[in-house]
Amino acid sequence: MANAASGMAVHDDCKLKFQELKAKRSYRFIVFKIEQQQVVIDKIGEPTETYEDFQACLPADECRYAVFDFDFTTAENCQKSKIYFIAWSPEISRVRMKMVYASSKDRFKRELDGIQVELQATDPSEMSLDIVKGRAL
């Protein structure tokens, strides 16, 4: 079903795989792209993959949405996890692409129930591991 505002549909697989990431921790991350007026899965990261693996699969010149299951330890030595939503919009991507991703982001994010932290990045430094850790605590 397309969103009237942006004309964007969300493929059912996106929601199913996100639920598996959230409930079963089946994946470390999921990268989504917009293709033919629909949000679809671009890449899925296995639970053993790292944040660096995740960053490496984001294209340098194209926008993407992503969710990342981030594990961390609190000051009280408790193991915790937070699910991040990352809107990746590199400076050098096409203006039209940036507009489509920006106008569809909130609608898509609403489909993914359980996002705890949102990050928006235009270059890798804006989503460094230090920034992710800082937002987790």
Side-chain angles (χ1 to χ4, degrees):
M1 71 189 147
N3 175 13
S6 68
M8 204 56 56
V10 177
H11 195 279
D12 287 340
D13 266 2
C14 296
K15 292 180 262 189
L16 289 169
K17 296 294 184 197
F18 176 74
Q19 288 303 325
E20 290 173 20
L21 177 143
K22 185 174 89 168
K24 300 180 190 160
R25 307 199 68 193
S26 303
Y27 316 108
R28 175 64 55 203
F29 61 85
I30 307 171
V31 178
F32 306 94
K33 66 180 175 180
I34 296 175
E35 205 171 68
Q36 297 167 355
Q37 295 295 301
Q38 179 168 249
V39 180
V40 297
I41 292 174
D42 186 32
K43 175 151 178 33
I44 292 179
E46 295 304 313
T48 55
E49 292 193 64
T50 65
Y51 191 71
E52 288 73 27
D53 297 328
F54 161 67
Q55 285 181 301
C57 76
L58 294 173
D61 60 348
E62 289 183 18
C63 300
R64 291 290 187 270
Y65 300 128
V67 290
F68 187 87
D69 186 5
F70 181 66
D71 294 324
F72 62 99
T73 306
T74 65
E76 297 80 36
N77 210 23
C78 293
Q79 282 295 117
K80 294 216 170 185
S81 160
K82 284 197 175 170
I83 297 175
Y84 282 70
F85 178 87
I86 298 166
W88 172 244
S89 184
E91 294 280 341
I92 59 172
S93 56
R94 293 190 321 272
V95 172
R96 168 117 178 90
M97 178 181 276
K98 286 193 249 191
M99 289 171 56
V100 168
Y101 274 79
S103 67
S104 306
K105 181 184 78 164
D106 289 336
R107 156 80 166 64
F108 177 55
K109 213 172 77 181
R110 278 196 300 272
E111 298 283 336
L112 307 177
D113 185 38
I115 301 287
Q116 294 161 305
V117 182
E118 181 181 344
L119 278 179
Q120 210 154 339
T122 58
D123 76 62
S125 70
E126 294 176 357
M127 53 180 275
S128 69
L129 191 54
D130 287 340
I131 289 173
V132 169
K133 283 179 183 170
R135 296 286 300 273
L137 304 172

